[in-house]
Amino acid sequence: MQALSELRSEYDLIVIDTQILEAEGDMTDIWHVFLVPLLRGDAWGLGVFDDSSEGLDLLESRVAMLTEQFGISNARMLVIANKWEQFTDDDAAMISQMFAGRATFIGSSDLDMSFHDRLGTGFVFTAATGIAPVVRLLLHKVIGRREFEPVGTASGRRTPFRLFGRKSK
């Protein structure tokens, strides 16, 4: 926790990427001791799922477990559809309804090979056209800073951004 406190004093956003959240009986200590207390506090939870019915069903059950059994606030739980080739308004409505009262559906990313091909490099290619809009929405929701407003809102201007950067002093 001390390392996290030090990071929080320097950065606007700290991402803790974990393994897939298992069923309650199979949860590791990183969840019970570290992440659940953070999520009960001021951290945000983000669930990512693909276009398989198994991925969506698994995430729905895990979000339900976190909000209902562990008391995580639904106000700070977010979900994103990932790697969808054909995402429709009907898909968005179905997903929003599925997570209603448990999490906020932020949007979807396309199957973007320019992003996918760079995953192993350690560089998060946030400008990839398939993911940039959903990354902007996510950052605007979590950080709330004006430069992350979705394109076409408020000032309507597109501001370049870096996903991992130092806090403005």
Side-chain angles (χ1 to χ4, degrees):
M1 286 294 205
Q2 180 180 349
L4 183 60
S5 294
E6 290 176 21
L7 289 169
R8 283 182 169 193
S9 70
E10 292 290 322
Y11 297 96
D12 291 318
L13 178 65
I14 301 158
V15 176
I16 301 171
D17 186 10
T18 68
Q19 77 279 6
I20 294 171
L21 174 59
E22 302 298 334
E24 181 181 0
D26 297 328
M27 286 174 63
T28 61
D29 284 347
I30 193 170
W31 281 96
H32 286 291
V33 176
F34 186 66
L35 296 172
V36 168
L38 288 173
L39 290 168
R40 284 184 181 140
D42 64 349
W44 290 82
L46 173 64
V48 180
F49 60 94
D50 62 18
D51 63 354
S52 69
S53 60
E54 299 84 14
L56 185 56
D57 292 344
L58 179 65
L59 183 59
E60 181 187 25
S61 70
R62 297 312 184 253
V63 168
M65 178 179 70
L66 288 170
T67 57
E68 295 167 11
Q69 295 175 21
F70 289 97
I72 308 296
S73 170
N74 63 354
R76 297 183 79 84
M77 292 297 298
L78 309 171
V79 295
I80 292 176
N82 186 36
K83 299 180 187 173
W84 285 56
E85 290 191 60
Q86 300 289 327
F87 195 83
T88 67
D89 290 341
D90 289 341
D91 292 326
M94 180 268 301
I95 293 164
S96 293
Q97 172 131 14
M98 179 180 274
F99 287 97
R102 293 188 185 133
T104 301
F105 175 61
I106 294 294
S108 67
S109 68
D110 298 336
L111 181 58
D112 188 321
M113 294 314 291
S114 64
F115 176 77
H116 184 270
D117 291 346
R118 295 180 181 176
L119 285 176
T121 67
F123 173 72
V124 180
F125 185 49
T126 58
T129 57
I131 69 154
V134 77
V135 168
R136 288 189 79 82
L137 286 168
L138 176 63
L139 290 172
H140 187 259
K141 177 81 173 170
V142 172
I143 297 175
R145 291 192 351 214
R146 188 172 184 180
E147 65 261 35
F148 299 124
E149 286 179 351
V151 175
T153 62
S155 65
R157 62 186 174 89
R158 185 179 179 110
T159 306
F161 64 93
R162 292 180 54 219
L163 181 59
F164 302 105
R166 292 204 175 265
K167 275 188 173 183
S168 315
K169 298 279 180 180

